[in-house]
Amino acid sequence: NHLVEYSHGLLEVLSMPTRAHQRLVAFLFRLLADFVEVHDLGEVFFAPYRVQLWPGKYREPDLVYLTHERVLQSTEAYAVGADLAVEVVSEDAPMRDLQTKRREYAQAAIPEYWIVDPRKCKISVLRLEERAYVVSGDYGPGEQALSVLLPGFGVDVAAVFAAAD
C-alpha cells in the first residue's frame, strides 16, 4: 500500500496521497491544462507519469507541463525532461519536495518548479538561473502565484488551498 521510487540506488517508499493532496493536484491540473489548451502550448500530465531527468533517473511530479517540442521528444512511457514541474509537499517527507527534488529538477534543467506547501498555505514559484533555482515569488492567501514560463498564467492561492477542503 505504498508508492515506491528508485533513486540513486535506493528505494524511496512514499506514502499514498491523501484526499486533500489529490484535490489540490486536481484543481491545479484543471487550471494549468485549460490554460495550456486554450493557448495551444503543449500538454499537461499528472502523476503517475514518469519524467526522465537524465539517463537512468526518473521522477513522477504531481503535475508536469511539456511544450509541443518536448512532447515530440518524449515516449509514450515517459517524458524526456519537462518545462514545468509542480509538487505538492507531502506531510511525511517534506524535504524530498523542498530540497531533493528541487536539486534534481535544477540538475535536469527544468525551467520552472512550483512547490505547493499546504502546511504553510504557500506556493513558491522557482525559476532556473544557470544550474540552480531562484525564488521568483513566494505567494500566500490573498495573492496570485504567477508563472514566469507561461505569461498570463496565475492561480489564486486561497482558492488552491480551499480546494483541499
Side-chain angles (χ1 to χ4, degrees):
N1 292 334
H2 290 281
L3 300 174
V4 177
E5 283 187 354
Y6 183 72
S7 179
H8 302 290
L10 301 171
L11 286 179
E12 291 182 10
V13 179
L14 313 173
S15 62
M16 297 299 283
T18 64
R19 183 171 45 203
H21 180 278
Q22 291 299 83
R23 286 176 176 158
L24 285 172
V25 172
F27 184 80
L28 287 167
F29 173 78
R30 286 190 299 271
L31 294 175
L32 182 56
D34 287 350
F35 182 87
V36 167
E37 183 178 337
V38 164
H39 297 284
D40 190 28
L41 300 172
E43 291 188 63
V44 179
F45 299 95
F46 51 86
Y49 181 63
R50 293 184 303 156
V51 173
Q52 182 184 51
L53 302 181
W54 53 83
K57 178 63 178 177
Y58 297 86
R59 285 285 183 186
E60 293 179 358
D62 288 317
L63 295 176
V64 61
Y65 159 65
L66 308 175
T67 60
H68 289 298
E69 295 78 18
R70 193 169 305 274
V71 170
L72 292 174
Q73 297 167 0
S74 298
T75 73
E76 188 65 25
Y78 61 88
V80 177
D83 297 286
L84 168 63
V86 178
E87 294 284 3
V88 175
V89 176
S90 59
E91 290 181 23
D92 65 329
M95 290 303 109
R96 183 173 43 249
D97 299 314
L98 298 170
Q99 293 177 359
T100 306
K101 289 181 182 179
R102 179 179 177 154
R103 183 180 61 254
E104 291 176 353
Y105 292 167
Q107 184 178 344
I110 296 174
E112 189 166 310
Y113 178 35
W114 284 35
I115 301 173
V116 180
D117 194 339
R119 302 163 314 141
K120 298 180 179 179
C121 288
K122 179 177 87 168
I123 297 176
S124 297
V125 176
L126 309 175
R127 73 179 184 283
L128 192 64
E129 283 192 9
E130 296 179 19
R131 299 294 288 170
Y133 285 118
V134 296
V135 176
S136 176
D138 279 325
Y139 303 96
E143 298 179 298
Q144 190 169 42
L146 301 171
S147 174
V148 177
L149 181 68
L150 300 168
F153 179 70
V155 298
D156 179 291
V157 176
V160 169
F161 292 110
D165 296 331

